[in-house]
């Protein structure tokens, strides 16, 4: 579909949409309703588009903002209520299954100074594979002076459904070794690289090695301070009390076929999430919206 604001494009095997509004551009793949990039004219990107990302049907994309749903990360690490939703004994892939499914482009409308675009994943005929629960998903993007992303789950079934989820956002940075994250001081976090022990953050978070932490009871605003690019990326969340912060560093990045060996230097994941004790239990006809707004301010 082409409109004055939305242009259909193709990246290798994947159908995508290029969305422009005012001075900003967002690139979204139909597969997974996956935001691939977000950039304001004349500025470095805010959402990181990995140079070695693979755009193949059914292949998860390591870039942008993958939608992780209805479980997050390693399936067996999810709360029992989330695991109980799945009906198969076969091994479950990480981060759920909707990031490999084609979504539908829904409404496109202007609201004052904003442009709103919706992507929908209705409950498919025959149900989701190995997950027989009637939940509709809507990913809504709103562009004004920021990018606002929201994911809404609506339980249309007769039973309560338990889900964990994340907007697995990759942010573009000048060099992760020289940035820091504000807003985490004093928070408890789970150190997944040290037997999932719980620690308490002291001061801002800086990076000197592989990082994979789940911050609990996170505040609604975190910031990435990037002195070289003279900016602060401000993240404002709703419907989430968990932030997952990840960078693969040298060895892990070298083992990833879809990332340059030095790609870890140019990205930092801060994931807006409902995980651990923050999972969502949706009663029949209930809905939940988790979202993040992304913008930048000069230092």
């Amino acid at each position: 579909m082409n409109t004055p604001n939305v242009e259909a494009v193709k990246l290798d095997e994947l159908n995508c949409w290029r969305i422009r509004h005012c001075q900003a551009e967002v690139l979204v793949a139909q597969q997974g309703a996956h935001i691939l990039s977000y950039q304001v004219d004349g500025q470095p990107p805010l959402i990181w588009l990995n140079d070695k990302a693979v755009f193949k049907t059914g292949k998860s994309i390591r870039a942008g903002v993958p939608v992780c749903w209805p479980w997050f990360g390693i399936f067996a690490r999810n709360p029992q209520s989330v695991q109980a939703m799945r009906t198969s004994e076969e091994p479950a892939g990480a981060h759920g299954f909707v990031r490999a499914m084609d979504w539908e482009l829904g409404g496109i409308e202007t609201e004052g100074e904003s442009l709103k675009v919706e992507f929908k994943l209705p409950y498919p005929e025959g149900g989701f594979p190995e997950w027989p629960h009637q939940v509709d998903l809507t990913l809504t993007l709103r562009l004004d002076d920021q990018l606002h992303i929201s994911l809404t789950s609506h339980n249309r079934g007769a039973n309560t459904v338990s889900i964990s989820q994340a907007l697995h956002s990759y942010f573009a940075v000048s060099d992760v070794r020289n940035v820091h994250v504000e807003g985490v001081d004093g928070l408890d976090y789970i150190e997944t690289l040290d037997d999932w022990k719980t620690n308490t953050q002291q001061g801002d978070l800086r990076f000197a090695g592989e990082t994979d932490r789940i911050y609990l009871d996170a505040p609604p605003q975190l910031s990435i301070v990037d002195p070289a690019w003279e900016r602060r990326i401000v993240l404002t969340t709703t419907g989430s009390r968990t932030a997952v912060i990840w960078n693969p560093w040298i060895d892990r990045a070298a083992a990833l076929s879809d990332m340059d060996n030095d790609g870890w230097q140019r990205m930092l994941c801060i994931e807006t999430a409902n995980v651990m004790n923050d999972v969502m239990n949706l009663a029949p006809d209930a809905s939940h919206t988790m979202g993040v707004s992304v913008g930048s301010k000069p230092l």
Side-chain angles (χ1 to χ4, degrees), residues 57-109:
T57 303
K59 169 72 174 174
S60 299
I61 307 166
R62 191 181 302 281
V65 187
V67 176
C68 305
W69 189 97
W71 62 84
F72 173 78
I74 300 170
F75 181 72
R77 285 288 186 180
N78 282 260
Q80 188 56 44
S81 62
V82 174
Q83 295 187 47
M85 295 291 98
R86 188 169 179 266
T87 57
S88 174
E89 297 299 320
E90 295 297 316
H95 293 320
F97 47 78
V98 300
R99 59 185 177 147
M101 300 179 72
D102 279 350
W103 295 49
E104 300 172 358
L105 178 61
I108 304 169
E109 59 183 302

Side-chain angles (χ1 to χ4, degrees), residues 86-295:
R86 188 169 179 266
T87 57
S88 174
E89 297 299 320
E90 295 297 316
H95 293 320
F97 47 78
V98 300
R99 59 185 177 147
M101 300 179 72
D102 279 350
W103 295 49
E104 300 172 358
L105 178 61
I108 304 169
E109 59 183 302
T110 55
E111 296 180 342
E113 298 298 314
S114 301
L115 176 72
K116 186 174 81 170
V117 184
E118 286 190 343
F119 303 89
K120 295 181 177 294
L121 185 66
Y123 185 70
E125 185 176 349
F128 292 118
E130 304 166 359
W131 201 84
H133 310 287
Q134 192 171 346
V135 180
D136 292 342
L137 288 178
T138 303
L139 186 80
T140 303
L141 307 185
R142 186 162 57 84
L143 269 172
D144 44 35
D145 59 344
Q146 301 183 69
L147 171 64
H148 309 272
I149 311 166
S150 61
L151 178 67
T152 299
S153 305
H154 185 182
N155 182 9
R156 299 188 183 278
N159 300 305
T160 296
V161 175
S162 183
I163 60 174
S164 64
Q165 58 182 347
L167 296 169
H168 192 313
S169 309
Y170 289 74
F171 294 99
V173 296
S174 60
D175 189 326
V176 73
R177 295 168 293 187
N178 298 322
V179 307
H180 62 274
V181 177
E182 296 176 333
V184 293
D185 183 29
L187 297 183
D188 289 339
Y189 65 89
I190 297 171
E191 180 56 87
T192 69
L193 302 177
D194 186 16
D195 200 28
W196 290 66
K197 294 176 182 175
T198 300
N199 298 320
T200 301
Q201 178 70 37
Q202 303 295 325
D204 295 340
L205 176 60
R206 299 175 187 272
F207 302 90
E210 183 180 355
T211 303
D212 192 357
R213 296 178 175 182
I214 302 171
Y215 283 84
L216 309 173
D217 294 315
Q221 185 168 294
L222 299 176
S223 298
I224 302 170
V225 179
D226 192 336
W229 281 351
E230 299 180 335
R231 74 179 183 187
R232 174 182 280 107
I233 302 176
V234 180
L235 315 177
T236 306
T237 62
T238 57
S240 163
R241 294 186 294 109
T242 321
V244 182
I245 301 182
W246 178 72
N247 182 279
W249 216 253
I250 300 168
D251 292 343
R252 179 85 182 274
L256 299 173
S257 61
D258 55 354
M259 181 184 285
D260 284 326
N261 286 351
D262 63 353
W264 60 272
Q265 298 176 23
R266 299 187 290 276
M267 52 71 63
L268 175 62
C269 284
I270 300 184
E271 305 163 38
T272 302
N274 294 132
V275 299
M276 308 308 289
N277 63 353
D278 188 28
V279 299
M280 288 297 105
N281 297 300
L282 292 180
D285 203 37
S287 62
H288 173 72
T289 298
M290 176 185 70
V292 61
S293 298
V294 180

